[in-house]
């Protein structure tokens, strides 16, 4: 399944079906031979486009009469080519940054930054805004000196240079990458009012690299080799244990991210990609893969990245990230601009495959309406959803709920809390709720607040 | 092998569930109604396939597990039962400790993973290497290969080590400034030895500190981890060496009052701490039996669209959407991270504790 990317824009709702049909009609009318469709459209007769009715919502709004002046951009030359051999965002976008909470960690070398999810569009995270998580700071590795070794329970231990790796057949895949602690701050209740803080420990990019199964087969895994132990070349020497069945499924060793080399923050020159699984397994600065008979029981799969339950037991090896979703607009970073029409939009994803449906509630979960997708629907990747909403100005409780292709329905927070307590730290993947304050003649400032049930 | 009835059962389940798609198709030949371990339908793979791979569906799970309270779907929701087809354990550990539930595998229910692995690997008899790499001898990796697994493979030989007293001196010199001279933690870095109960399910309780004695399931992990990553500013230091890292490991284990034998004896300052002592103590880690394999999802909701039951609506299950919690605020109006010990002392951006 994971080998066949199906570029399917899922048409889910009556609305989106009609939208698709309208686009089809429009396109067909533009080409010769579209007669049938053109006449069909005409057959609607009197129900055609009524310009007067169409602009009715503008009735009564004051008209601007001051003559518009030209700005400096129109009256002078801009800068020339090669001023920025590597292009940078407009200075007006300087607030769009990954950010951290300084009080989370005692130093910046073993810390995390969150992506500004609420300021992103589409399903691709720009490389400079990809979230960061280090356990021992970021090394600057010369790719000419970097090596990848595959050894252990193999027929022929091998060492590869970067050039060697790039000779192998390449694959490119779009996948989300999510720290299992994404949303961890919300286990004990609401902490912070921004999607960046509640869901920013994740990103979604296009990776290019070499299939891990190709590399492992190159060295010849012995039958007793049941696990692989990938390890990083950085100060943390990050290691995890990955079952060989998973390694042989859809994992790969990536050297590129969004068309260019990996950034140092994301593992330059190479990292492991374990689609759908917690990001801690995606070992960066990968330099060694040991094929082994048992898991290593590394600190990051025993002391950390295990989930403490209310009865004192702990769940371990929770590799897959569950289906999850969040409304990015309107969200606490924005303000409502008065009653009227809004397009609720957001992100949904699942570590176990494709997103199947996203539903949106505006009444705290009592009633739901299906949203439609505005992006391609890919395996283990972000999926964009959108739904029209006519806000009457009263208090509303916005929630999104994803169903993935396995049939798993995202649970509400009380249900997850009752089951897993509040000291779990990881995999807090239940729904969140945005409270839209009543408009009340603008007295509440259009505030949108993160609340929790 | 540490054979209890439980581990024998676990091993038999593991055999039936282990391995490739081939092994699984063997299972699916069993006639319907056969049960594995008296609990699960033996033809579970077939059931999942018939349901289009929707192994998380309520109907599929009930077909496999039944719906009784002990082992069925209903039982799963109420009780975190590690014994179900979505998680299972394989062999017991070699040290005789209670590590039997620690070698989790891909849930067998992930049939597509197995199919894909079969296609890429097990069934690829035509594969011939590209020859792009260069052969390397294992001996050439002696400096890189620093992995120690839970069975103790990779530990230094038994003549390497030092007394606990010497280990304590090394620890105080290189570790104490961040983790406290007795492992109590410092400067916001993690404590290594605390005596705390992990069961604090009250909503407002502070999160329990997870340290070596009350949480870590393996003693081998301490040696592997500190030799790999510590001291933080100059990891894997040759001036500490295997003997020094073993000494630190011993001191940390002593600080956590880990037993060395069934009689409950603990490490003396004069004890020579080496890999043999480490492996002896590996089976006395107090919390080792409390880990279970990932068996999510245990939540199986319907996709309700209108007038959903109160349990699925806001307001803590009472259906009242206006019954919610808000973020607590610091006096300056900024949101408050919900760790009580930070509440009155450390506004964001100033001090550190926890995490």
């Amino acid at each position: 399944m994971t080998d066949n990317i199906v570029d399917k824009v899922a048409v889910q709702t009556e609305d989106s079906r009609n939208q698709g049909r309208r686009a089809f009609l429009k396109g067909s009318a533009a080409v010769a031979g579209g007669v049938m469709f053109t006449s069909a459209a005409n057959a609607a007769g009197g129900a055609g486009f009524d310009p007067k009715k169409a602009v009715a919502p503008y009735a009564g709004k004051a008209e601007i009469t001051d003559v518009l002046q030209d700005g400096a951009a129109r009256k002078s030359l801009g800068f020339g080519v090669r001023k920025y051999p590597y292009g940078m965002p407009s200075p007006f976008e300087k607030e769009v940054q990954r950010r951290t909470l300084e009080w989370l960690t005692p130093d910046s070398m073993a810390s995390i930054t969150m992506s500004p999810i609420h300021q992103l569009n589409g399903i691709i995270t720009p490389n400079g805004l990809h979230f960061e998580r280090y356990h021992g700071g970021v090394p600057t590795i010369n790719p000419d000196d970097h090596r990848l070794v595959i050894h252990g329970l193999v027929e022929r231990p091998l060492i590869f240079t970067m050039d060697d790796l790039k000779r192998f057949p390449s694959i490119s895949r779009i996948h989300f990458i999510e720290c299992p602690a994404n949303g961890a701050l919300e286990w004990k209740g609401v902490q912070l009012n921004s999607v960046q803080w509640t869901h920013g420990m994740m990103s979604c990019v296009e990776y290019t690299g070499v299939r891990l199964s190709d590399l492992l087969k190159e060295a010849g895994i012995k039958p007793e080799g049941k696990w692989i132990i990938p390890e990083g070349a950085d100060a943390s020497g990050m290691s995890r244990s990955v079952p060989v069945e998973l390694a042989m499924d859809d994992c790969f060793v990536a050297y590129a991210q969004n068309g260019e080399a990996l950034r140092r923050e994301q593992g330059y020159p190479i990292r492991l990609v374990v689609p759908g699984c917690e990001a801690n397994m995606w070992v960066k600065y990968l330099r060694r893969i040991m094929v082994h008979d048992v898991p290593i029981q590394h600190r990051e799969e025993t002391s950390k990245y295990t989930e403490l339950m209310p009865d004192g037991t702990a769940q371990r090896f929770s590799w897959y990230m569950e289906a999850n979703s969040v409304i990015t607009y309107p969200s606490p970073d924005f303000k409502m601009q008065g009653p009227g029409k809004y397009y609720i939009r957001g992100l949904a994803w699942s570590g176990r495959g494709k997103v199947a449906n996203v539903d949106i509630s505006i009444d705290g979960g009592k009633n739901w309406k299906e949203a439609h997708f505005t992006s391609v629907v890919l395996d283990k990747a972000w999926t964009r959803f959108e739904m029209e909403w006519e806000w009457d100005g009263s208090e509303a409780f916005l929630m999104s709920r994803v169903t993935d292709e396995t049939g798993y329905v995202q649970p509400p927070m009380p249900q997850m809390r009752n089951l897993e307590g509040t000291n779990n730290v990881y995999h807090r993947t239940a729904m969140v709720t945005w409270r839209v304050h009543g408009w009340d003649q603008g007295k509440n400032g259009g505030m949108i607040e993160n609340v929790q049930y | 092998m540490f054979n209890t009835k439980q581990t024998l059962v676990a091993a038999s389940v593991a055999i039936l569930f282990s391995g490739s798609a081939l092994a699984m198709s063997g299972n699916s030949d069993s006639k319907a109604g056969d049960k594995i371990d008296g609990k699960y339908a033996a033809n579970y793979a077939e059931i999942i396939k018939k349901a289009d791979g929707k192994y998380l569906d309520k109907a599929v799970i009930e077909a496999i597990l039944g719906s009784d309270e002990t082992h069925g779907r209903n039982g799963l929701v109420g009780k975190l039962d590690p014994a179900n087809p979505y998680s299972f354990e394989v062999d017991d550990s070699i040290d005789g400790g209670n590590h039997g539930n620690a070698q989790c595998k891909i849930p067998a229910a992930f049939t597509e993973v197995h199919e894909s692995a079969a296609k890429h690997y097990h069934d690829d008899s035509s594969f011939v290497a590209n020859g792009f790499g260069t052969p390397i001898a294992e001996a050439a990796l002696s400096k890189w290969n620093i992995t120690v697994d839970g069975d103790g493979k990779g530990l230094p030989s038994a003549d390497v080590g030092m007394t606990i007293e010497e280990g304590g001196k090394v620890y105080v010199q290189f570790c104490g400034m961040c983790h406290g001279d007795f492992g109590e933690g410092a400067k916001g870095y993690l404590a290594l030895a605390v005596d705390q109960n992990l069961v604090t399910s009250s909503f407002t309780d502070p999160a329990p500190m997870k340290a070596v004695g009350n949480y870590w399931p393996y003693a081998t992990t301490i040696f592997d981890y500190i030799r790999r990553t510590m001291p933080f500013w100059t990891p894997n230091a040759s001036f500490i060496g295997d003997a020094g890292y073993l000494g630190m490991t011993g001191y940390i284990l002593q600080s956590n009052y880990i037993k060395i034998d069934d009689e409950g004896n603990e490490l003396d300052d004069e004890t020579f701490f080496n890999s043999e002592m480490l492996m002896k103590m590996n089976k006395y880690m107090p919390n080792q039996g409390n880990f279970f394999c990932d068996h999510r999802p245990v939540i199986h909701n319907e996709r309700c669209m209108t007038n959903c039951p109160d349990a699925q609506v806001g307001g803590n299950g009472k259906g009242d959407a206006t019954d919610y919690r808000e973020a607590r605020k610091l006096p300056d109006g900024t949101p408050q991270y919900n760790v009580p010990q930070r509440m009155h002392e450390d506004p964001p951006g100033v001090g550190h504790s926890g995490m």
Side-chain angles (χ1 to χ4, degrees):
Chain A
M1 172 194 87
T2 47
D3 286 323
N4 304 317
I5 292 188
V6 181
D7 287 12
K8 179 187 78 168
V9 178
V11 177
Q12 298 291 343
T13 65
E14 205 55 46
D15 272 0
S16 62
R17 257 197 288 280
N18 290 336
Q19 275 174 17
R21 189 167 158 269
R22 275 197 295 274
F24 182 52
L25 290 175
K26 205 174 154 195
S28 303
V31 298
V35 181
M36 188 181 76
F37 298 108
T38 316
S39 58
N42 283 343
F49 179 72
D50 179 349
K52 201 170 172 182
K53 197 173 146 199
V55 301
Y58 291 104
K61 284 196 182 168
E63 190 178 61
I64 291 173
T65 53
D66 293 345
V67 175
L68 298 178
Q69 302 299 314
D70 280 326
R74 178 74 187 91
K75 294 293 184 186
S76 58
L77 275 177
F79 64 74
V81 297
R82 287 191 53 77
K83 180 175 170 68
Y84 301 106
Y86 193 99
M88 299 297 285
S90 161
F92 295 100
E93 297 295 313
K94 67 174 191 282
E95 293 303 318
V96 183
Q97 290 182 4
R98 45 192 181 203
R99 295 173 193 278
T100 191
L101 299 158
E102 282 175 19
W103 43 270
L104 269 181
T105 55
D107 62 65
S108 61
M109 284 78 70
S111 190
I112 189 156
T113 60
M114 289 75 146
S115 281
I117 303 293
H118 58 294
Q119 289 159 317
L120 299 181
N121 299 285
I123 61 168
I124 298 291
T125 309
N127 285 340
L129 296 174
H130 191 298
F131 85 99
E132 305 161 278
R133 172 69 170 116
Y134 317 139
H135 292 78
V138 177
T140 299
I141 294 171
N142 182 342
D144 294 342
D145 300 334
H146 192 75
R147 297 290 182 274
L148 173 65
V149 166
I150 298 179
H151 74 115
L153 295 172
V154 295
E155 287 298 325
R156 180 66 268 177
L158 293 174
I159 184 165
F160 300 96
T161 64
M162 288 299 294
D163 286 342
D164 294 340
L165 291 175
K166 288 179 180 176
R167 283 182 73 183
F168 281 92
S170 68
I171 55 166
S172 296
R173 294 279 187 276
I174 295 172
H175 288 303
F176 78 83
I177 170 168
E178 184 178 18
C179 175
N182 201 12
L185 289 152
E186 307 281 301
W187 270 114
K188 279 183 186 288
V190 184
Q191 309 299 339
L192 299 153
N193 274 293
S194 170
V195 184
Q196 186 159 13
W197 303 137
T198 58
H199 293 78
M201 297 183 194
M202 63 163 178
S203 296
C204 183
V205 298
E206 184 204 56
Y207 299 98
T208 300
V210 186
R211 204 188 279 288
L212 185 55
S213 57
D214 282 353
L215 295 177
L216 292 171
K217 282 191 288 184
E218 190 82 5
I221 299 186
K222 290 180 175 171
E224 59 270 33
K226 297 294 182 199
W227 294 77
I228 65 154
I229 319 293
E231 183 183 280
D234 62 328
S236 74
M238 178 54 68
S239 276
R240 285 289 298 256
S241 308
V242 181
V244 105
E245 301 288 339
L246 181 50
M248 289 296 179
D249 181 29
D250 54 358
C251 297
F252 57 106
V253 174
Y255 44 76
Q257 175 178 307
N258 289 340
E260 61 179 359
L262 292 176
R263 293 288 172 90
R264 285 172 294 173
E265 297 96 308
Q266 278 81 47
Y268 183 85
I270 45 172
R271 87 172 309 164
L272 190 61
V273 173
V274 190
C277 294
E278 51 185 42
N280 184 251
M281 301 164 76
W282 302 38
V283 173
K284 298 189 285 185
Y285 324 106
L286 185 66
R287 78 164 184 181
R288 185 165 75 98
I289 296 173
M290 185 170 90
V291 180
H292 208 48
D293 56 345
V294 293
I296 166 179
Q297 312 295 359
H298 187 264
R299 182 249 197 188
E300 313 296 355
E301 58 199 16
T302 54
S303 166
K304 304 292 166 190
Y305 301 98
T306 48
E307 303 172 59
L308 182 60
M309 298 291 158
D311 65 354
T313 61
Q315 177 163 285
R316 62 188 332 214
F317 289 134
S318 5
W319 297 308
Y320 291 90
M321 298 305 301
E322 282 110 331
N324 201 343
S325 68
V326 64
I327 293 170
T328 56
Y329 175 85
S331 69
D333 291 284
F334 299 93
K335 291 202 182 325
M336 303 301 283
Q337 295 151 41
K341 199 197 297 180
Y342 289 83
Y343 291 92
I344 298 174
R345 52 182 73 112
L347 290 168
W349 62 99
S350 170
R352 303 194 205 246
K354 292 187 183 67
V355 167
N357 316 91
V358 177
D359 305 312
I360 289 173
S361 172
I362 57 162
D363 60 4
K366 194 80 187 159
N367 296 287
W368 298 84
K369 254 181 88 178
E370 184 164 357
H372 65 271
F373 298 137
T374 58
S375 72
V376 289
V377 179
L378 300 173
D379 201 41
K380 303 169 185 175
W382 279 358
T383 305
R384 280 271 168 193
F385 62 84
E386 195 166 287
M387 192 191 84
E388 186 183 315
W389 176 41
E390 189 70 38
W391 186 42
D392 60 7
S394 63
E395 185 179 48
F397 295 89
L398 307 187
M399 301 167 85
S400 65
R401 179 187 69 189
V402 63
T403 305
D404 71 11
E405 64 174 332
T406 68
Y408 173 77
V409 181
Q410 188 182 5
M413 191 57 204
Q415 192 179 10
M416 184 167 273
R417 194 169 52 222
N418 290 342
L419 201 60
E420 302 190 20
T422 57
N423 295 322
N424 182 314
V425 179
Y426 306 101
H427 293 266
R428 200 212 60 77
T429 53
M431 297 183 242
V432 292
T433 307
W434 307 143
R435 174 191 173 208
V436 177
H437 288 234
W439 180 247
D440 202 10
Q441 277 83 45
K443 269 189 217 138
N444 295 321
M447 187 156 55
I448 301 156
E449 187 191 5
N450 181 13
V451 297
Q452 190 178 105
Y453 292 127
Chain B
M1 275 284 186
F2 181 70
N3 280 332
T4 62
K5 192 172 170 238
Q6 199 182 0
T7 52
L8 279 171
V9 166
S12 67
V13 174
I15 289 159
L16 284 160
F17 279 70
S18 68
S20 63
L22 286 171
M24 284 175 42
S25 63
N27 277 346
S28 63
D29 290 339
S30 323
K31 49 184 192 300
D34 276 6
K35 294 256 176 178
I36 296 173
D37 195 23
K39 296 175 187 173
Y40 327 119
N43 60 338
Y44 69 94
E46 207 173 273
I47 294 171
I48 291 163
K49 270 196 171 166
K50 265 188 203 151
D52 224 9
K54 293 196 173 178
Y55 52 87
L56 312 186
D57 262 17
K58 185 183 174 190
V60 176
I61 288 166
E62 281 184 351
I64 296 171
L65 295 177
S67 53
D68 64 276
E69 294 293 332
T70 339
H71 300 298
R73 179 180 178 273
N74 297 339
L76 280 184
V77 178
K79 183 177 162 234
L80 295 165
D81 181 0
N84 73 69
Y86 302 102
S87 97
F88 53 92
E89 53 270 25
V90 284
D91 299 327
D92 207 345
S93 62
I94 60 165
D95 62 19
N98 185 18
H99 298 300
N101 193 15
Q103 293 191 24
C104 310
K105 276 194 168 184
I106 298 275
F110 283 78
T111 47
E112 74 196 31
V113 171
H114 291 277
E115 275 170 14
S116 181
K119 197 184 90 195
H120 291 150
Y121 172 47
H122 299 296
D123 293 346
D124 193 355
S125 59
S126 62
F127 182 86
V128 177
N130 286 290
F132 299 155
T134 306
I136 187 165
E138 283 285 349
L141 298 169
S142 57
K143 283 204 166 151
W144 281 23
N145 187 1
I146 54 167
T147 303
V148 177
D149 68 23
D151 296 342
K153 291 200 287 296
L155 283 171
S157 59
D159 57 324
V160 181
M162 57 175 64
T163 64
I164 299 298
E165 189 172 7
E166 289 168 322
K169 286 177 186 159
V170 181
Y171 174 91
V172 168
Q173 185 180 352
F174 294 108
C175 321
M177 72 290 279
C178 292
H179 294 291
D181 283 356
F182 303 98
E184 72 275 21
K187 292 192 279 194
Y189 289 96
L190 295 164
L192 305 177
V194 293
D195 185 20
Q196 269 197 25
N197 192 346
L198 294 171
V199 183
T200 57
S201 55
S202 162
F203 195 83
T204 48
D205 279 350
M209 222 70 100
K210 292 182 279 190
V212 169
N214 70 345
Y215 197 70
W216 290 44
Y218 286 85
T220 52
T221 309
I222 306 167
F223 177 77
D224 174 274
Y225 184 69
I226 63 177
R227 183 172 68 164
R228 168 187 301 280
T229 63
M230 294 290 148
F232 192 49
W233 63 95
T234 167
N236 193 224
S238 54
F239 52 79
I240 293 174
D242 285 353
Y245 283 112
L246 276 164
M248 290 177 188
T249 305
Y251 181 73
I252 293 167
L253 288 169
Q254 189 199 40
S255 305
N256 281 280
Y257 307 106
I258 309 296
K259 290 194 294 179
I260 60 172
D261 54 31
D262 284 341
E263 282 72 52
N265 290 313
E266 290 171 12
L267 288 166
D268 291 329
D269 287 352
E270 297 75 37
T271 313
F272 183 76
F273 191 85
N274 60 4
S275 52
E276 280 175 3
M277 183 56 79
L278 175 61
M279 284 313 290
K280 244 174 123 175
M281 299 178 75
N282 199 37
K283 65 176 170 184
Y284 294 112
M285 297 298 280
N287 196 45
Q288 62 183 213
N290 285 329
F291 287 84
F292 61 91
C293 297
D294 177 13
H295 64 289
R296 292 166 304 157
V298 289
I299 294 173
H300 307 280
N301 290 347
E302 306 290 341
R303 188 173 157 234
C304 165
M305 295 306 283
T306 50
N307 213 12
C308 298
D310 285 352
Q312 286 185 33
V313 185
N316 235 341
K318 305 223 170 52
D320 176 10
T322 61
D323 176 11
Y324 53 81
R325 275 183 289 271
E326 297 173 272
R328 281 190 275 180
K329 309 282 197 295
L330 289 168
D332 65 0
T334 51
Q336 156 75 45
Y337 180 57
N338 193 14
V339 172
Q341 63 263 38
R342 186 181 288 121
M343 225 157 100
H344 308 292
E345 304 167 10
D346 306 329
V350 181
H352 314 288
S353 56
M355 294 303 275

